[in-house]
Amino acid sequence: MGNENNRELTMAAAISEGMAQEMERDENVFVMGEDVAKYGGIFGATGGLLDRFGADRVMDTPISETAFIGAATGAAAEGMRPVVELMFVDFFGVCMDQIYNHMAKNIYMSGGNVKLPVVLTTAIGGGYNDAAQHSQCLYGLFAHVPGLKIVVPSNAYDAKGMMIEAIRDDNPVMYFFHKGIMGLLWMAYFTGSTTHVPEEPYTVPFGKAKVVREGNDITLVTLSQMVHKSMQAAETLESDGISVEVIDLRTLVPLDKDTILNSVAKTNRLCVADEDYLSFGLSGEIVAIVAENLDSIDLTCPVKRLAVKDMPIPYSPPLENAAIPQSSDIENTIRGMMA
Amino acid sequence: MIEPTTDKMLWMYEQMLIIREFEETMVNIYLEGKLPPEIQEGLAFDIGSGPVPGEMHLAAGQEPVAVGTCAHLKKDDTITGTHRPHHFAIAKGVSINALAAEIFGKVTGLGRGKGGHMHLFDVENKFGCSGIIGAGMPQACGAALAAKKKGKDWVTVTFFGEGAANQGSFHESLNLAALWNLPVIFICEDNSYAISVTKDESTAIANNADRAAGYGMPGVSVDNNDALEVFSVVGEAVSRARAGEGPSLIECKTDRYLGHFQGDAEAYRPEGEVEKLRENDPIDLLRDHLVASDAMSDDNEKEIKDRASATVKAAYEFARASDYPDTSEVAQHVFV
């Protein structure tokens, strides 16, 4: 921990601290979901909250995602500010109607009269051999549906600030945390995700991507855990004289198009590294935005996309490593683009 | 048996008249511009044409469920309704002008024309509904949870059809409501038909009220589409909920006089069924009771009927006279 000036937190601790500070500030904030209370969230996002705030404000639910996620929407419509956890994003199939037909649409269908300040947190990502029903990212699917703000932090500093921003937002926010950057004691993680986190409450605004590494030769657009793989690749490439600009999108809705376009206008090359599925998703969207602006951008080589190539996430370690883009894949792809 | 006051009974009677006239007038309005098939050769009907396009689910015959329930509700109580929502909205006190305008897709509508007849939201009167079967029940649990957290005696009523009682959301919500002792009243409008599929064909037991036992809450069945019976049974459930004694399930057998939607050929209906149902009309039933108990004179009755007609007429005139939203609004309100 150290002193205040250099205190570091894991992403899990940063998320729960953000929730706790908003719960202190606003009595309408409460947390519910499966195993969020006594267990503190399977991935630690609600750790310590039960002891501080009690069972009325930190509620374990039955395994009834339709009921309790729908209840979050209903409570938000009445002025509460629920934070509700869908344990794995993969479980959306049992409750998607409440998310995309109600949480996402009721504001619009009411002509803006209804406010829905609800935060739906969920765990994403593979890399630990949990196979096809517990390893997906799927943020692209939810970003495709109008009416949901989509937040995908890559590190503890952003995670706390974006959680506080999410809770204060009057719109539904889906908040995706990658299991492999939470800093759990039981799952290897990218240590770059554990960062300095100020103790006081602060917000990180939505719709502002972050240039996490400046470079001149190629723009690498990425997010979540893939930011860390991208940084590893960029460091290796730097020693070979290839200068990579890495952009962490941070939010998909709203999307910071300007930061992407400005960077590609400078580097004239674009690579997207994503852990979601390849086709009809995030990587295609980023490429399309650049393609729509080719009147002001010159590309010196074709764009490249790295993503899960349209198969379910396999179980066996060598297969999973082959399905999900790794640092070495990013590195090799960029070398090819610079050749 | 909880008896309504005379004023409440007269209110229920007038609301039923308004609802019936609103729905039956809509039968004709809905056909405007859809017939004859000039739009496309060989077409009998075009759902997307006319001043009221889209699907239209009307509730004529089902008025007792709405008025017998809403007679107990205050402005701060919440309703979640169904794809067939007009009777609930009117009885809850939603502006009938704004309701009609929304159905016409006008900017003066409840949702500025963005929702349409299945998606009505009135924040002030705490009314919402959904076009997805069974979807209102989880949200009702949330509204009830909010009331509990805020320390208010507000109750939430969630209406759904007997078809929705076979959705997972019904069972999940009953369990959650009972588990958390929520002030929510589940009211099943059993009109015997899930579009064309009868309850016998869809449901393993005769009375959905019996399913309450599986979740440890009271379950009561009202079999006669009588507003006074609904009033009595719902009254008890509302009192329990307000007193912090938890949820109830009520099943009201009722009658759908019209098709599932307008344009439904109703080939699945036995011949003469609707005519027979109309012989025991719930509005006549309440009228006869009011007259027999000297609660309503002939002059009273005429006055109430005239006022109900004028209310409906004014609502549809307001809707027709209102403007469509400017297309610049299309991208507004995705977020607030």
Side-chain angles (χ1 to χ4, degrees):
Chain A
M1 294 284 276
N3 65 38
E4 156 61 8
N5 291 333
N6 59 15
R7 183 188 73 145
E8 289 199 343
L9 289 184
T10 63
M11 206 166 97
I15 292 169
S16 66
E17 183 169 286
M19 290 182 196
Q21 289 178 341
E22 284 306 285
M23 291 176 80
E24 272 169 6
R25 194 181 66 85
D26 183 349
E27 64 181 15
N28 290 317
V29 180
F30 71 102
V31 175
M32 65 175 164
E34 292 156 5
D35 304 288
V36 299
K38 289 197 296 290
Y39 201 109
I42 296 300
F43 303 105
T46 55
L49 296 180
L50 176 66
D51 287 347
R52 281 183 67 182
F53 297 101
D56 281 349
R57 295 185 70 191
V58 186
M59 306 171 74
D60 278 327
T61 62
I63 304 175
S64 305
E65 287 88 350
T66 289
F68 72 75
I69 290 175
T73 297
E78 301 271 338
M80 301 300 291
R81 305 188 86 86
V83 178
V84 60
E85 182 169 301
L86 175 63
M87 189 187 287
F88 288 74
V89 74
D90 313 66
F91 301 170
F92 82 95
V94 298
C95 56
M96 188 58 164
D97 176 64
Q98 285 298 331
I99 300 172
Y100 91 116
N101 264 328
H102 297 89
M103 190 184 286
K105 292 176 183 164
N106 282 3
I107 289 173
Y108 187 79
M109 294 194 298
S110 75
N113 289 312
V114 172
K115 289 181 181 148
L116 291 178
V118 52
V119 181
L120 176 53
T121 58
T122 193
I124 62 170
Y128 64 104
N129 313 105
D130 217 3
Q133 297 172 343
H134 291 75
S135 300
Q136 299 168 94
C137 284
L138 301 180
Y139 35 65
L141 190 154
F142 291 92
H144 184 68
V145 176
L148 299 168
K149 294 191 179 179
I150 302 296
V151 176
V152 195
S154 67
N155 63 79
Y157 179 90
D158 285 355
K160 176 176 169 179
M162 296 204 293
M163 175 52 68
I164 292 175
E165 180 82 357
I167 293 171
R168 293 179 185 177
D169 201 308
D170 281 336
N171 298 284
V173 176
M174 272 192 83
Y175 186 104
F176 297 77
F177 51 79
H178 196 296
K179 289 158 269 178
I181 49 175
M182 289 291 268
L184 301 170
L185 293 173
W186 48 278
M187 186 185 296
Y189 62 98
F190 285 80
T191 51
S193 59
T194 296
T195 65
H196 167 60
V197 176
E199 283 187 24
E200 68 275 10
Y202 61 92
T203 57
V204 170
F206 297 161
K208 302 268 183 220
K210 189 175 182 191
V211 178
V212 288
R213 182 187 177 98
E214 288 191 18
N216 298 314
D217 294 331
I218 183 162
T219 299
L220 176 55
V221 175
T222 187
L223 74 170
S224 191
Q225 192 199 51
M226 200 63 77
V227 170
H228 304 283
K229 293 181 180 174
S230 295
M231 291 297 277
Q232 284 180 346
E235 275 159 34
T236 308
L237 290 163
E238 184 75 40
S239 60
D240 292 340
I242 299 172
S243 168
V244 182
E245 180 143 300
V246 181
I247 295 175
D248 178 357
L249 290 172
R250 302 205 283 193
T251 63
L252 303 187
V253 181
L255 181 66
D256 182 358
K257 296 181 184 179
D258 288 347
T259 295
I260 300 166
L261 293 172
N262 291 339
S263 176
V264 180
K266 176 179 76 174
T267 63
N268 308 111
R269 290 184 183 86
L270 171 66
C271 179
V272 184
D274 179 22
E275 198 185 312
D276 211 344
Y277 298 121
L278 177 69
S279 296
F280 311 100
L282 167 70
S283 61
E285 186 65 29
I286 302 301
V287 168
I289 288 163
V290 171
E292 285 169 340
N293 288 276
L294 289 177
D295 53 348
S296 57
I297 291 174
D298 288 323
L299 289 178
T300 55
C301 70
V303 300
K304 288 285 181 189
R305 295 188 286 155
L306 288 147
V308 176
K309 288 176 189 156
D310 303 332
M311 74 285 286
I313 309 294
Y315 166 66
S316 176
L319 293 181
E320 190 190 35
N321 287 341
I324 296 174
Q326 307 298 331
S327 292
S328 56
D329 298 318
I330 300 170
E331 195 188 312
N332 292 337
T333 299
I334 289 178
R335 281 188 207 285
M337 293 172 76
M338 297 304 297
Chain B
M1 181 100 187
I2 303 173
E3 301 269 1
T5 61
T6 299
D7 280 354
K8 274 274 189 248
M9 267 192 286
L10 291 169
W11 177 86
M12 286 161 67
Y13 180 62
E14 182 165 346
Q15 292 299 305
M16 290 213 284
L17 289 170
I18 291 170
I19 293 164
R20 179 65 60 84
E21 186 153 338
F22 189 85
E23 300 294 70
E24 293 197 326
T25 305
M26 179 50 72
V27 170
N28 294 320
I29 294 174
Y30 185 71
L31 289 175
E32 288 176 24
K34 294 187 174 61
L35 303 167
E38 285 158 1
I39 299 141
Q40 192 178 328
E41 204 178 333
L43 217 58
F45 176 87
D46 180 40
I47 187 171
S49 294
V52 180
E55 284 184 70
M56 179 53 59
H57 313 82
L58 299 174
Q62 301 184 191
E63 298 88 352
V65 190
V67 302
T69 299
C70 291
H72 296 285
L73 301 185
K74 299 182 290 195
K75 203 171 179 140
D76 281 330
D77 297 325
T78 295
I79 283 183
T80 71
T82 67
H83 62 289
R84 193 183 310 284
H86 304 164
H87 54 326
F88 308 132
I90 291 168
K92 183 61 167 69
V94 172
S95 157
I96 191 169
N97 286 12
L99 166 65
E102 184 63 24
I103 295 170
F104 275 70
K106 299 297 181 70
V107 73
T108 52
L110 290 166
R112 302 183 71 82
K114 287 196 162 100
H117 114 99
M118 286 187 275
H119 317 106
L120 308 167
F121 297 89
D122 180 347
V123 172
E124 199 192 329
N125 289 290
K126 297 176 71 168
F127 181 88
C129 58
S130 168
I132 307 294
I133 299 302
M137 289 179 265
Q139 291 162 48
C141 289
L145 180 64
K148 206 172 158 175
K149 286 187 180 298
K150 287 170 186 275
K152 305 288 189 184
D153 71 345
W154 305 337
V155 303
T156 299
V157 172
T158 179
F159 293 105
F160 55 98
E162 89 288 346
N166 297 317
Q167 282 277 34
S169 59
F170 168 79
H171 298 275
E172 288 189 22
S173 298
L174 259 66
N175 181 62
L176 198 72
L179 182 72
W180 289 350
N181 197 41
L182 299 176
V184 56
I185 299 139
F186 296 86
I187 301 187
C188 176
E189 272 193 306
D190 179 353
N191 65 17
S192 306
Y193 288 101
I195 306 188
S196 65
V197 176
T198 62
K199 190 173 158 205
D200 295 352
E201 295 164 331
S202 71
T203 305
I205 57 172
N207 291 311
N208 276 310
D210 294 346
R211 289 175 156 172
Y215 302 99
M217 70 172 77
V220 182
S221 196
V222 179
D223 287 335
N224 52 9
N225 205 26
D226 178 348
L228 297 178
E229 279 276 336
V230 174
F231 180 89
S232 178
V233 169
V234 173
E236 208 162 304
V238 168
S239 299
R240 289 188 70 246
R242 282 208 207 287
E245 291 166 21
S248 304
L249 171 63
I250 296 166
E251 168 188 39
C252 299
K253 306 275 172 71
T254 188
D255 299 317
R256 191 188 84 200
Y257 287 175
L258 300 164
H260 164 67
F261 45 49
Q262 294 307 290
D264 176 358
E266 296 186 78
Y268 52 85
R269 283 251 210 204
E271 210 173 316
E273 183 181 73
V274 174
E275 291 70 18
K276 202 155 173 247
L277 294 173
R278 282 183 186 265
E279 283 171 16
N280 295 308
D281 190 86
I283 300 181
D284 293 342
L285 190 67
L286 185 57
R287 180 209 167 267
D288 292 348
H289 179 83
L290 284 161
V291 170
S293 58
D294 288 328
M296 183 169 71
S297 66
D298 288 354
D299 285 352
N300 267 167
E301 185 179 351
K302 187 178 177 327
E303 192 189 319
I304 290 170
K305 282 182 167 164
D306 288 350
R307 200 165 55 219
S309 289
T311 299
V312 173
K313 192 161 175 272
Y316 283 132
E317 280 170 4
F318 174 80
R320 285 185 194 276
S322 292
D323 292 328
Y324 282 112
D326 191 275
T327 54
S328 65
E329 289 200 20
V330 70
Q332 291 174 10
H333 311 127
V334 177
F335 296 110
V336 286

